[in-house]
């Protein structure tokens, strides 16, 4: 009787584990040179939001679980919050990771064809990806956004042809969509990304990744060079009204930022030099804050003597106008000519200053020659 009970228990346990596997994903890792400090796992579930797990490796081993019916991005972070490894998982996946944390380009992944293919791509392009990691670490402290995006764009350019080759040879694989989303998607090369993404078979595009890529591309196209800024009417920090129509007649620099973001503050302080070097009668400058807290925003404006026009959008990212212009990053800059047409976007620091000064000089020269 006890034997029969034991057999039934084992069968029931097996069925339970089988059902459990179908309702979750499981990751087991055995990585040498793990410190005894905690690692962090971010489960970025589409529409369901992000969750953060803290895990403590024991003897170079750790395990974590999660649940998502759709393919979801999972970031494993080092103790200093830099990226160690990125996976794409959904319920039913059981993944094993082996390797050395000091040689992330050679970490092996098994148990999931999607992640095995992504891991193979990472290993084959480990030199470029290693440089991208170095750039991200460098600029985490140095907020020179112009140099950062220049370096990142150059490195992403070198990944374009390996990604294109994979996509061309694997148009029905979900890995093709993931590689574009992971390594190419930005507002500089969006046209190439759009064309490459359209070449993938519809069945090869995971629903959530397709939604994210298409949303990004749609947002980028809203402020393409040559378009007009959508109409707005907002209150300034001094409670006066400001309208889009007030920009017509002279070039305008528009910046979206937040006072609690270090990169935003660095850029706004850089723009203070532009304000001091330019004739106020020849250039409009207006900054839109997405800060929910007006106190910190006003304190920042006063403390740093940011004496151009500032507006706060209390609804932040949820504001209708913010969605209309399709902001993809913070800080976000747009340069308009005197007709209100967008002529440049997402320039920063010295690059932005040089562009503005040249634009004003060219405008003045044209007016003199009329």
């Amino acid at each position: 009787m006890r034997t029969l009970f034991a057999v039934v228990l084992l069968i029931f346990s097996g069925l339970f584990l089988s059902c459990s596997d179908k309702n979750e994903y499981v990751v087991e890792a055995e990585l040498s040179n793990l410190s005894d400090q905690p690692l962090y796992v971010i489960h970025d579930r589409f529409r369901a939001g992000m969750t953060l797990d803290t895990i403590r490796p024991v003897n170079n081993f750790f395990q974590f679980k999660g649940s998502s019916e759709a393919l979801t991005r999972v970031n494993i972070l080092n103790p200093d919050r830099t990226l160690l490894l990125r996976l794409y998982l959904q319920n039913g996946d059981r993944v094993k990771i082996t390797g050395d944390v000091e040689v992330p380009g050679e970490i092996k992944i098994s148990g999931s064809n999607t992640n095995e293919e992504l891991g193979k791509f990472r290993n084959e392009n480990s030199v470029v990806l290693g440089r991208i990691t170095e750039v991200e670490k460098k600029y985490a402290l140095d907020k020179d956004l112009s140099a950062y995006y220049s370096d990142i764009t150059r490195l992403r350019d070198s990944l374009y042809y390996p990604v294109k080759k994979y996509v061309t040879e694997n148009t029905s694989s979900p890995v093709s969509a993931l590689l574009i989303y992971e390594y190419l998607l930005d507002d500089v090369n969006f046209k190439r990304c759009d064309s490459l993404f359209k070449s993938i078979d519809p069945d090869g595009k995971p629903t959530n990744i397709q939604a994210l890529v298409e949303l990004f591309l749609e947002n980028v196209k809203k402020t393409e060079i040559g378009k007009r800024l959508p109409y707005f009417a907002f209150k300034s920090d001094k409670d006066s009204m400001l309208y889009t129509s007030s920009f017509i007649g002279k070039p305008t620099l528009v910046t979206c930022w937040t006072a609690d973001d270090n990169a935003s503050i660095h850029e706004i302080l850089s723009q203070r030099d532009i304000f001091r070097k330019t004739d106020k009668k020849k250039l409009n400058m207006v900054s839109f804050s997405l800060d929910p807290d007006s106190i910190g925003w006003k304190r920042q404006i006063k403390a740093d003597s940011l004496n151009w026009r500032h507006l706060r959008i209390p609804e932040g990212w949820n504001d209708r106008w913010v969605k209309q212009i399709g902001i993809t990053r913070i800080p976000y800059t747009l340069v308009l000519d005197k007709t209100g047409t967008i002529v440049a976007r997402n320039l920063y620091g010295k690059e932005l200053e040089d562009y503005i000064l040249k634009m004003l000089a060219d405008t003045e020269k044209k007016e003199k020659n009329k």
Side-chain angles (χ1 to χ4, degrees), residues 2 25 47 117 184 192 210 273 275 286 312 314 319:
R2 287 183 178 178
Y25 51 81
R47 297 192 187 281
E117 286 291 299
L184 300 184
R192 291 197 304 182
Q210 180 176 0
D273 293 336
F275 180 77
V286 58
R312 187 176 70 91
D319 181 81

Side-chain angles (χ1 to χ4, degrees), residues 199-344:
S199 71
I200 301 173
D201 296 342
D203 293 341
K205 299 174 183 177
T207 303
N208 56 334
I209 300 302
Q210 180 176 0
L212 291 169
V213 171
E214 291 180 348
L215 177 62
F216 182 90
L217 294 173
E218 180 186 327
N219 282 335
V220 170
K221 291 174 184 177
K222 289 176 180 177
T223 51
E224 276 190 274
I225 307 301
K227 289 194 173 182
R228 294 285 188 96
L229 200 65
Y231 174 81
F232 73 81
F234 291 121
K235 280 187 178 181
S236 73
D237 57 316
K238 296 180 174 59
D239 291 330
S240 60
M241 293 301 296
L242 187 64
Y243 304 89
T244 314
S245 55
S246 66
F247 294 168
I248 304 301
K250 56 185 176 182
T252 301
L253 170 59
V254 176
T255 305
C256 296
W257 68 300
T258 61
D260 60 357
D261 173 63
N262 289 333
S264 289
I265 293 173
H266 184 278
E267 175 57 29
I268 285 293
L269 292 178
S270 175
Q271 290 184 14
R272 184 174 58 186
D273 293 336
I274 296 176
F275 180 77
R276 290 172 176 173
K277 291 178 181 178
T278 55
D279 187 337
K280 313 308 174 290
K281 295 180 180 179
K282 296 180 179 179
L283 177 70
N284 287 312
M285 285 181 63
V286 58
S287 297
F288 295 89
S289 164
L290 305 186
D291 288 288
D293 173 25
S294 64
I295 297 175
W297 167 63
K298 287 187 176 182
R299 184 188 302 122
Q300 191 79 44
I301 292 171
K302 184 177 180 180
D304 292 325
S305 301
L306 308 177
N307 296 323
W308 58 96
R309 285 181 289 186
H310 292 269
L311 301 95
R312 187 176 70 91
I313 305 176
E315 294 81 6
W317 293 96
N318 295 318
D319 181 81
R320 184 175 60 85
W321 184 79
V322 172
K323 291 179 179 179
Q324 276 185 308
I325 64 173
I327 298 176
T328 55
R329 64 173 77 154
I330 288 290
Y332 192 84
T333 66
L334 294 170
V335 181
L336 316 179
D337 67 12
K338 63 180 184 179
T339 69
T341 301
I342 298 169
V343 293

Side-chain angles (χ1 to χ4, degrees), residues 101-153:
V101 294
E102 295 183 357
V103 193
E106 297 180 8
I107 290 176
K108 297 188 183 311
I109 304 168
S110 60
S112 160
N113 182 65
T114 296
N115 288 288
E116 287 173 9
E117 286 291 299
L118 288 171
K120 182 180 177 183
F121 183 88
R122 281 194 290 262
N123 293 345
E124 291 174 350
N125 297 276
S126 59
V127 174
V128 176
L129 294 175
R131 288 175 181 167
I132 289 177
T133 300
E134 290 172 5
V135 167
E136 289 175 341
K137 287 183 178 179
K138 173 185 176 182
Y139 290 107
L141 299 175
D142 180 0
K143 301 300 180 183
D144 185 351
L145 292 176
S146 179
Y148 169 74
Y149 285 114
S150 175
D151 288 349
I152 287 295
T153 299

Side-chain angles (χ1 to χ4, degrees), residues 47-61:
R47 297 192 187 281
M50 291 189 292
T51 58
L52 173 67
D53 290 339
T54 302
I55 54 178
R56 294 189 175 275
V58 177
N59 296 326
N60 291 322
F61 176 86

